[in-house]
């Protein structure tokens, strides 16, 4: 809507409330890491750098903040590292991020170590119009609770069985799924819709 109203193009940047930009979109929509200013690491839960294409915890070191250094600062975000052999058509040589996922509390973990991001669930629920809104709540590794608001009064609970089956087909792992119909799903304090709420302990990247 902004692009249409202002007859311009909108670019996204990825930064921190600590006041610096980590990556920015170029005219081809790819996120380039601003390496002259920041050293970015994407780490697994043991604190090792993840391979390209994999999900990692964002840890940043600011290279030009002489008054207030930030060294290996754990942001609590997740991102996917791009393959280094990928070149962007814009010609910039800065490394790229494949995808910025968001908060690392916004993931569901499984017993086998899989991490299910918001897109895992939105990719399923976008094909289930009977459910207007949902939130996934996780309190232990073996189960999730899906709170949902039905889209209309003709809601048939059979759709929940179907949803459960699709999740299990995609996941290929045992995970108990509970459903609970709710009237309202509260947004986060910042006003964003919350899709996943995890009460699991945060990973400890102390290395
Ligand atoms: Zn580019």
């Amino acid at each position: 809507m902004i692009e249409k109203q202002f007859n311009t193009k909108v670019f996204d940047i990825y930064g921190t409330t600590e006041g610096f930009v980590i990556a920015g979109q170029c005219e081809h929509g790819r996120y380039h890491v601003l390496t002259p200013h920041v050293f970015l690491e994407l780490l697994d839960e043991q604190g090792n750098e993840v391979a390209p294409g994999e999900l990692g915890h964002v840890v940043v070191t600011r290279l030009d903040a002489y008054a207030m250094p930030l060294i290996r600062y754990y942001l609590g975000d997740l991102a996917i590292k791009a393959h280094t052999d990928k070149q962007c058509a814009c010609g910039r040589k800065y490394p790229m991020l494949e995808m910025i996922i968001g908060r690392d509390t916004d993931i569901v973990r499984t017993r086998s170590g899989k991490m299910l991001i918001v897109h895992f669930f939105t990719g399923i629920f976008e094909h289930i119009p009977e459910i207007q809104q949902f939130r996934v709540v996780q309190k232990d590794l073996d189960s999730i609770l899906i709170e949902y608001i039905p889209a209309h009064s003709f809601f048939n609970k059979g759709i929940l069985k179907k949803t459960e089956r699709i999740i299990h087909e995609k996941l290929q792992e045992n995970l108990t799924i509970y459903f609970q119909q709710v009237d309202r799903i509260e947004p986060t304090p910042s006003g964003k819709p919350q899709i996943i709420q995890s009460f699991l302990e945060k990973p400890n990247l102390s290395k």
Side-chain angles (χ1 to χ4, degrees), residues 28-96:
H28 294 279
R30 308 296 303 269
Y31 286 88
H32 290 274
V33 181
L34 303 183
T35 46
H37 307 289
V38 63
F39 180 68
L40 180 138
E41 296 168 272
L42 293 176
L43 306 180
D44 65 18
E45 307 215 332
Q46 284 71 48
N48 302 310
E49 188 80 25
V50 298
E54 282 182 13
L55 194 66
H57 296 271
V58 176
V59 172
V60 289
T61 297
R62 195 172 169 188
L63 302 177
D64 54 7
Y66 302 112
M68 181 62 210
L70 275 179
I71 298 168
R72 302 200 79 203
Y73 183 57
Y74 168 80
L75 277 187
D77 278 350
L78 292 166
I80 297 175
K81 199 177 182 174
H83 288 271
T84 44
D85 55 349
K86 269 194 191 161
Q87 293 288 322
C88 184
C90 76
R92 290 178 182 86
K93 299 292 178 206
Y94 301 135
M96 289 179 285

Side-chain angles (χ1 to χ4, degrees), residues 142-161:
D142 300 302
S143 71
I144 53 172
L145 168 69
I146 298 179
E147 296 175 341
Y148 67 93
I149 301 174
H152 49 67
S153 52
F154 303 108
F155 186 79
N156 173 353
K157 291 220 166 175
I159 200 69
L160 301 179
K161 276 276 157 222

